[in-house]
Structure formats: C-alpha cells, structure tokens
Amino acid sequence: MKKNVVKLSAFLLLMFPSLVSAETVQETIDTQKGSKIVQSSMTSESTIETSSSSNSESESISETSSSTIEESTSSSTTDTSTTQTTDSSEEQPDEDEISFEAVENKFITVINKEETIWKEINKETAGTTDSLFNRTFSVKEIATTKEGKIYYLLFDKDDKKIGYVTKEALKEAEGAQGIWQKNDQFLSLNNNNVEIYQNFDWKIKEARPAKDETLHAKGVYSHLNGNKYFSIYNKDNKWLGYVEEKNVSIAAGKQGLWRKMDDYVSVTKKNYSIWQNFGWTEKNNTTNLFNKTLHVKGYYNHFNGSVYYSLYDGNGNWQGYVNKNAVTKTSGRQGPWIKTSKYVTISNKNYSTYSNFNWQVRHKGTSIVNRTFKVTGRYEHLNGSTYYSLYDNNNKWFGYINKKGVKEGNGRQGAYIPSKDFVTVTKGNYSVWQNFNWKKKKSSSALQNKTYQVRGFYKHMNGDTYYSLYDNKGTWQGYLNATGAKVAPGKQGIWFGMNKQGTIAKGGYTTWQNFNWQKKGSTNSMLNKKYRVGGYYNHFNGDTYFSLYDNSGKWQGYLNSSAVRFKTTVSDYMGTTPDRVLNNLKRHEHDGFYVGTPFRGLSYDPAYSMSPRGRSNGYGPGMNCTGFVAYAYQDGGANLNKITQVANAWGGVANAYNWRDALTKHTDYETFGTIGQLLSSGKAKKGDIIYLEADFSKPGPDPHIGIFWGDYSSQNRFFHATWPATKISQIYSYTPYSKVYLFSL
C-alpha cells in the first residue's frame, strides 16, 4: 500500500544511506503520484505494491518523505540529535507495524473529548477532539497498530481530511445522521411550513404538529452535513419525526416557549390553582379572584396540552400562571358584562356615571345623589373596581357607576339612608305604609301637624322619598311619602303661622329663649294678661309652643300652649271634630255628590237651598253657598242649632249672615282686607270657613261663604256653591266684598 511504500523507503534511506539515494526516494514518490509500481535498486528490499490515491493523500506522503530525509541528514551531524531521534523512535511503533485498511460508507460520531487528532499517527497532531465532540464524520481508512490500537481517519461533509482519532473516542453510526444521542428538551416549530422527516433518506412526513405546540425532543442526531436533527414526540408519546435544529426554538422546560399576548380576561371558573412556577407551587386559587378582570401579558403552550396565561392585575402586579380554561377573554379592561339584578341608591355625590369605559362623564354625581336605580349588569374592571349599569324607573339608561358610590337596597325602595332629621306631617290624606309591598299601616291624618323623628329614609325607584317615622317614645309609625311632611329645623317642628289673642291662664310656666331650653322668663308675671300668638311649633316632645308678643309687639318667648286660653274653633262650638268634617268633604270631593249641584237661591225653608245632587230632598238638587256649608258641616257631625240659636233671620242656616253673627260671637277668627292677604298670611287651613262680607257701598250687596280647600295655607282653592253649580275653584265672589273672615275649623 502507498503509505507502506513511503515509509519503507524512508526507513532504507535512514538505515542504508549508501544504498539508497535521494533520487531513488523521490522517484518512488513520483511513481506514487503517477500510480506506478516501482522496484527499488536495493538488493534486499521487497517488492512494494502501490495503489492510486488522492492528491491530498499524495501530498501527505511527500511531506512525510521530506521529513524523513531531513531527519536522516540531521542525525549525521550531532550525537545529541542522534540520541533524540533514537529515543523518539523507541516511543513510536515501527512503520511496518501499522496496517491500514480502506473503508467505504462508514460513519462515526465523536463521543470523547481531549483525545488527540493525528495528522500522522503518533507523529504530528491537529488538536483535540474537543472541537469535534458530538459531531458526525465519514471514515475512509482504519489504521491498526501492532498492539491492536485502532485509529479512524475522519473526513467532514466536504470530504476534507480531519485526521486520525482513536476508536475509543468514537461511536459507529448506522448512517450519515450519526448516532442517536439522548436529549430531553422541549421545543416548538418556528413556523407551520417546517419540514418533518420520516427518515434520513429525507422522506417528508405529511402530518406535522402546529407551530404553537410544545414537543419533546427525546434524542438528537448530529448529521454529517453539519446540522442537528431532533427526534420529536408529542404529549401522547407519539413519534412525529425528525426536525432540523434551525427550524425550532428551544424552551426552558415543559411549559414551552413564552409567547407574548396583550389581552384581558375574566376569571370565570372557581377551584383552579394559580401557579407560582411550573414546578407546580400553588400561589393562589381562582376562587379568590372569581369574576375579576386581569391582564394577560403572555402565555405558555405546555407539553401537557394545556395553555397557561400569565396574569397581572391593574397595578402591574403579577398574579401567577392559570389554566386558560379558568378564564374568559373580554373585549377590554372593563371585563365581561355580568348579569346582575339589584337596586342601588347613589350615596356619594363625588361619583359620576360614565357613558363608556373611556370615562366620558354621563351624569355628575351631584345631580343623582340619593336617587335609586335598577342594576341590570356589572363589570369587574381591571382597575379593581366594580361598575354597575344603571336604569331608572322608565328604563332609561343612566350609565356606569363605581360600586363605591352606591348603597345596595333590598328592593325598589332602594337603600336605607340614615337620617337625624325631624319633620312635621302636613298632609292628612296620605297613607302611612307598613312596608314597600304597600300594605297600609295608618292614615297620615292621625299624624297631621305633629312632629316626628326621621331615623332614615328611602329614595324609591318611583321617584318619591319615604320617611321612616318615630315618635318621642321610639315607636315606629311607618313610611310616609316625603311630600306629606316638611323638614323642621329641629325637634320643635315646623313653624305654623297664627294671629290670635290669648290669655295666660296658668302661672309657674317658663317662657323659653330658644329650643335649647334657655330660660327667658316666667308666666307668674304674665298671669291673666292677653298676648298675641304670632305662631306656634308642635314639638317632638308632644307639646305645642306658642310664640308670644305683647301689645307693643315685643317678643316674650316660647310658651307651652297649655298655659294659654283661646276662644273655641268652629268644630268645638258646633260639637264635631275637624277630622269628621274634613273626611266627609274629602269622601265626596270627586264623586259628584256636591260638585255639579245646580245653584239655587235662598228661600224661607233652608232645605230648599240644602239639597246636594248626591242626596237631594223633595225640592230636587240645588244649593246656595250657605246651604252647601250648612249641609257639609251637618253631614260632618256639626250641630246647626248653634247657628240659629244665635241668629235666625230669614232662611235660617242657609243664610250667610246668620253664620257670620254666630261665629264671630263664639269662635276665633281672623279678618283680612283681601283674598290675597288671606293667602299670604299662612293662617288658612283646609276645612276653615271663609266668609266674604258684602260691600254695602255697592248696589245689590250680597255676601258669599265657602270652605277653604287648599292643601297648604297659600293654595288658592275654594269649595263653594255658586252660579251655575257647586265647584272647587279659586276663591272669589260674584258680588263685591269689603272684608274677608277666616273661621278656624
């Protein structure tokens, strides 16, 4: 073989320089280059067979021969050199003790580091196997020493010679792919068009995994072509094929690759663990974040087949990893619409409602505070707040409001709003409710003009406010519509106007400077003296306090009404009660009993002018103004004889002059110059009798009488019989009047 020929020639030149000339050696080399078999001129040398080789290999032979000649020449110059050469040759095997064998289609993978790569075995090195570790090469020659040590001559993918490496540093492969090397990495394909190979004949597999799927590389081949090929499996341990390293991305673990995401999700499932890491250390549980909206900044497609979202709250605080199945994607930071049915009352004026979650203000909180709305749904926003969607009683949408700005109610009445107010009931025709199913507890007539404590109230969906009333003993009275009462400045209640003369009838009473009970004086010095009562308060404690003025108009303080004596009212004088008279009139206010009865003038028989349409007598329906008042009061329990016993001119109780004369003598009354003055005085109360004195300076003088029907003192309403029929209208008379009398019911 070629290497044996070169080495033998070098050996003969060294040992027998006189027999073999340099020209003979060069001829041998040239002969090798020309693929000839040359017979040496030496008588003792054997016939050497040569074979054709590559130019690279021939160049290697030339380099070796030249080196041998140089070594021979050098050995003859000094003893030291000869000694060194001799020592070196002793460490190396004889050239004819190495045998070489040409091989084909043999492949190996380097499995050891720090092994020498020899250009010439045990002579000239080319580095170590560190640079070749785990790489695959082709083998074209095997060298075996006398001692049996085997060297493989390695070539790379470009058929470039690498050198000789001992067999122990190598592992034979079945093909150019190299050996199967254990691997335990997780990866994903870089795109959906990556080629997956069935084998290393490069047969393409038709089925391939999805780009986002996390796969398991159980092994890897370092192919002769210089590329690595992973042997990949799915989660079900099904082999998928071979994929080139450049076409995949390696993950840090089974969780797969981090994939960027910018979505919002709502936690819609309970009892899912939220993980601290993929060693499955639990950080939290979805039960604690149920319905909360969170920000997903990224996710992992885990090898187990599940997707895990990386969650952050509205402040950017990381919450952990959660299985995708535990959450639902939303359209924005507000989260999903969650159906909700409840009633809430706006309790904080600093919270506005919004038209959208770009925070466009729809209603200022100051305009809707204390109003009650229906909630049809809510949003659990990423910012940590809950937003209710509000509708009013007419199903008009009012926007979104932060839950912190409302209080929840138990029904359409809304939330109970605590209060420390005091109110005086001013209306007697209201129901006082037991509950908001509208079960009636009592009538406000039983509470009218009395003062109560409002411990709380409700702003109902119907738009009304309902006071929860308590008396001075702490007894609950029920719920009253706020329009049936007025808020007072304190426990004293509201101010009632009055203009009456009274006499101090009892000594030992304190007059008060104010309702903090600062003493002003005593009735001992006022006993039996007359004072004007300018007005009064019906106090929460159950007593009435008059505001007293002396004859010069100087204020004397507040005095308990029980120390003052007045003339009697109309109901007192005529033996009935205000409630009986009022209730009778209210009962027939709209039923046509009185209203619509034709006007009929005065006759000698009072009954002629006292025949309402709802209960007409033998004369048929017809009433004059006085006949209506007489009939209404009589039907309310009044004793009409009290009138005729004092004055009984023609027509009797149907004559207005008889009422004027009897009432001015025995009851309290006020006089006014005009109807306007009456209405502005604040003294008229529903059911009081108004008498319009005739103006006797004008032709055909005629008085007019009727009943004040205002719900409050300034309301211009009059229940009276006039031409052409009985009606409720403003206060007027068909004939001129000179004075207005007000007789208290």
Side-chain angles (χ1 to χ4, degrees):
M1 292 187 295
K2 59 186 180 182
K3 287 187 180 288
N4 288 346
V5 173
V6 175
K7 292 179 180 179
L8 177 57
S9 299
F11 175 75
L12 292 174
L13 180 61
L14 179 63
M15 298 302 296
F16 305 101
S18 61
L19 298 177
V20 181
S21 65
E23 288 80 9
T24 304
V25 173
Q26 184 61 49
E27 181 182 356
T28 303
I29 294 171
D30 294 339
T31 302
Q32 294 301 316
K33 292 182 178 178
S35 301
K36 297 179 180 179
I37 302 176
V38 180
Q39 179 73 38
S40 175
S41 62
M42 295 171 49
T43 57
S44 60
E45 65 184 4
S46 303
T47 302
I48 302 173
E49 296 180 354
T50 60
S51 60
S52 62
S53 62
S54 66
N55 291 337
S56 62
E57 289 177 327
S58 299
E59 291 169 2
S60 177
I61 294 171
S62 176
E63 291 172 3
T64 305
S65 300
S66 299
S67 176
T68 305
I69 294 170
E70 288 172 2
E71 289 176 3
S72 300
T73 305
S74 178
S75 66
S76 65
T77 57
T78 63
D79 295 337
T80 304
S81 298
T82 303
T83 303
Q84 291 175 344
T85 303
T86 302
D87 291 341
S88 176
S89 64
E90 288 176 353
E91 294 175 359
Q92 301 173 20
D94 291 338
E95 297 296 334
D96 60 356
E97 293 179 346
I98 301 176
S99 62
F100 296 86
E101 177 187 357
V103 295
E104 294 181 356
N105 296 321
K106 193 174 189 67
F107 303 92
I108 59 88
T109 301
V110 179
I111 60 172
N112 287 348
K113 294 182 179 180
E114 299 181 355
E115 296 285 347
T116 302
I117 303 172
W118 300 97
K119 289 186 178 180
E120 290 294 330
I121 297 174
N122 294 328
K123 285 208 175 276
E124 185 178 356
T125 66
T128 68
T129 56
D130 290 18
S131 62
L132 310 181
F133 185 66
N134 279 341
R135 290 174 59 187
T136 298
F137 300 91
S138 64
V139 178
K140 295 191 176 181
E141 185 176 274
I142 300 175
T144 307
T145 66
K146 180 180 179 181
E147 291 78 11
K149 192 167 186 178
I150 300 173
Y151 295 84
Y152 285 178
L153 179 59
L154 309 183
F155 289 79
D156 67 12
K157 64 176 181 175
D158 299 320
D159 212 26
K160 180 181 177 182
K161 185 170 70 175
I162 303 300
Y164 293 94
V165 177
T166 181
K167 180 180 180 181
E168 287 77 11
L170 313 171
K171 188 171 182 180
E172 293 187 16
E174 293 181 357
Q177 69 270 22
I179 65 170
W180 183 88
Q181 300 174 58
K182 185 177 181 180
N183 194 273
D184 189 20
Q185 290 181 291
F186 295 88
L187 51 80
S188 292
L189 305 184
N190 289 340
N191 59 67
N192 288 325
N193 297 318
V194 169
E195 292 182 335
I196 308 294
Y197 299 106
Q198 175 75 33
N199 50 44
F200 288 104
D201 292 329
W202 312 118
K203 181 180 179 181
I204 304 295
K205 292 197 72 171
E206 293 183 3
R208 62 167 59 89
K211 172 187 173 183
D212 289 344
E213 186 176 350
T214 299
L215 307 170
H216 188 193
K218 291 188 177 182
V220 63
Y221 291 90
S222 294
H223 199 282
L224 176 65
N225 63 17
N227 298 325
K228 286 185 178 182
Y229 295 86
F230 292 111
S231 182
I232 54 175
Y233 293 76
N234 65 13
K235 67 183 180 65
D236 299 320
N237 204 32
K238 179 183 178 181
W239 182 67
L240 303 176
Y242 304 115
V243 63
E244 190 174 341
E245 180 183 37
K246 71 177 182 180
N247 291 324
V248 302
S249 296
I250 305 298
K254 288 185 177 182
Q255 66 270 25
L257 298 173
W258 163 264
R259 301 179 189 277
K260 188 175 181 182
M261 188 174 175
D262 187 20
D263 280 327
Y264 301 95
V265 298
S266 175
V267 179
T268 50
K269 300 283 181 65
K270 295 181 179 180
N271 298 319
Y272 274 72
S273 292
I274 299 175
W275 304 107
Q276 176 75 34
N277 49 48
F278 289 104
W280 309 119
T281 302
E282 189 172 58
K283 181 177 175 69
N284 203 343
N285 192 282
T286 56
T287 303
N288 302 323
L289 298 177
F290 187 66
N291 280 335
K292 298 297 182 184
T293 300
L294 298 167
H295 188 191
V296 179
K297 294 187 178 181
Y299 67 95
Y300 292 93
N301 281 328
H302 199 281
F303 183 63
N304 64 16
S306 296
V307 175
Y308 292 87
Y309 287 156
S310 186
L311 305 177
Y312 291 79
D313 67 14
N315 296 318
N317 299 316
W318 184 61
Q319 302 299 300
Y321 304 116
V322 72
N323 192 306
K324 173 184 177 181
N325 295 332
V327 302
T328 301
K329 283 188 181 181
T330 71
S331 59
R333 296 167 65 91
Q334 71 272 15
W337 186 85
I338 302 171
K339 186 177 181 180
T340 307
S341 182
K342 62 176 63 177
Y343 296 90
V344 298
T345 301
I346 311 301
S347 57
N348 192 324
K349 66 181 180 181
N350 296 320
Y351 284 81
S352 298
T353 65
Y354 300 101
S355 294
N356 49 50
F357 289 104
N358 293 322
W359 312 119
Q360 180 183 356
V361 173
R362 189 176 185 88
H363 294 282
K364 290 284 188 181
T366 51
S367 68
I368 57 174
V369 68
N370 287 334
R371 285 188 61 178
T372 296
F373 296 92
K374 183 178 181 180
V375 176
T376 60
R378 73 182 192 276
Y379 292 90
E380 299 288 344
H381 200 281
L382 180 67
N383 64 17
S385 295
T386 299
Y387 292 86
Y388 288 145
S389 185
L390 305 180
Y391 289 82
D392 70 6
N393 197 42
N394 297 316
N395 208 34
K396 178 183 177 182
W397 186 59
F398 267 69
Y400 306 117
I401 192 169
N402 193 312
K403 178 182 178 181
K404 296 176 183 177
V406 306
K407 288 181 68 175
E408 292 185 15
N410 293 323
R412 293 174 61 85
Q413 69 270 23
Y416 179 80
I417 303 173
S419 173
K420 295 182 179 179
D421 285 338
F422 292 87
V423 299
T424 301
V425 178
T426 55
K427 306 288 177 64
N429 59 340
Y430 279 57
S431 293
V432 181
W433 305 106
Q434 176 74 32
N435 51 46
F436 289 103
N437 293 323
W438 311 118
K439 180 180 179 181
K440 186 173 180 179
K441 184 175 176 69
K442 61 179 71 174
S443 172
S444 65
S445 61
L447 312 179
Q448 192 172 13
N449 294 333
K450 296 178 182 178
T451 300
Y452 295 90
Q453 183 184 16
V454 179
R455 294 187 181 179
F457 60 91
Y458 293 91
K459 289 283 189 176
H460 200 281
M461 273 282 287
N462 63 18
D464 291 335
T465 299
Y466 293 85
Y467 293 145
S468 185
L469 303 180
Y470 290 80
D471 67 14
N472 59 1
K473 296 179 181 178
T475 302
W476 183 60
Q477 303 299 304
Y479 302 118
L480 175 68
N481 192 308
T483 58
K486 288 186 178 180
V487 177
K491 291 184 177 182
Q492 67 270 27
I494 66 171
W495 165 263
F496 287 97
M498 191 176 182
N499 187 20
K500 295 176 68 173
Q501 289 292 118
T503 302
I504 307 302
K506 296 180 180 179
Y509 278 71
T510 299
T511 57
W512 305 104
Q513 178 72 33
N514 49 48
F515 290 104
N516 293 322
W517 309 119
Q518 181 181 358
K519 185 174 181 179
K520 183 173 179 66
S522 169
T523 59
N524 290 338
S525 61
M526 306 167 69
L527 193 62
N528 294 324
K529 295 180 180 178
K530 290 187 177 182
Y531 292 88
R532 184 176 67 86
V533 178
Y536 62 94
Y537 293 95
N538 288 327
H539 199 281
F540 179 61
N541 63 17
D543 292 334
T544 298
Y545 292 84
F546 290 148
S547 183
L548 301 181
Y549 294 82
D550 64 15
N551 290 333
S552 65
K554 183 179 179 180
W555 185 61
Q556 301 299 305
Y558 301 117
L559 177 64
N560 193 304
S561 63
S562 60
V564 181
R565 183 180 68 248
F566 293 109
K567 290 182 178 180
T568 58
T569 63
V570 174
S571 57
D572 288 338
Y573 172 63
M574 299 183 70
T576 186
T577 65
D579 284 347
R580 289 182 66 185
V581 175
L582 280 172
N583 289 339
N584 173 62
L585 285 165
K586 289 175 182 178
R587 186 166 58 250
H588 299 304
E589 184 176 5
H590 303 294
D591 62 1
F593 187 90
Y594 294 121
V595 175
T597 299
F599 181 81
R600 187 157 58 208
L602 185 63
S603 173
Y604 71 93
D605 184 359
Y608 179 77
S609 302
M610 294 174 59
S611 181
R613 187 169 63 176
R615 197 184 295 154
S616 60
N617 53 28
Y619 293 107
M623 292 187 296
N624 72 344
C625 60
T626 314
F628 161 67
V629 172
Y631 191 95
Y633 263 73
Q634 177 181 262
D635 215 27
N639 180 4
L640 298 183
N641 290 333
K642 292 286 188 176
I643 302 298
T644 54
Q645 286 173 359
V646 175
N648 195 12
W650 187 76
V653 294
N655 186 332
Y657 292 116
N658 290 336
W659 281 76
R660 178 201 61 186
D661 294 345
L663 295 181
T664 54
K665 186 173 182 179
H666 291 284
T667 68
D668 297 323
Y669 63 93
E670 302 284 344
T671 60
F672 305 94
T674 65
I675 293 170
Q677 291 175 1
L678 163 69
L679 293 173
S680 63
S681 71
K683 296 177 181 180
K685 298 186 297 297
K686 198 167 200 172
D688 289 352
I689 293 175
I690 295 175
Y691 174 81
L692 299 169
E693 181 65 278
D695 186 350
F696 293 100
S697 66
K698 303 288 173 55
D702 190 20
H704 188 50
I705 193 171
I707 298 172
F708 179 73
W709 204 240
D711 288 328
Y712 44 89
S713 59
S714 61
Q715 187 177 17
N716 192 346
R717 294 188 76 205
F718 199 31
F719 207 158
H720 61 135
T722 186
W723 179 266
T726 303
K727 66 181 71 174
I728 297 173
S729 68
Q730 291 188 338
I731 304 170
Y732 71 91
S733 172
Y734 272 113
T735 59
Y737 66 91
S738 60
K739 185 186 295 186
V740 180
Y741 287 82
L742 178 67
F743 298 99
S744 177
L745 173 60

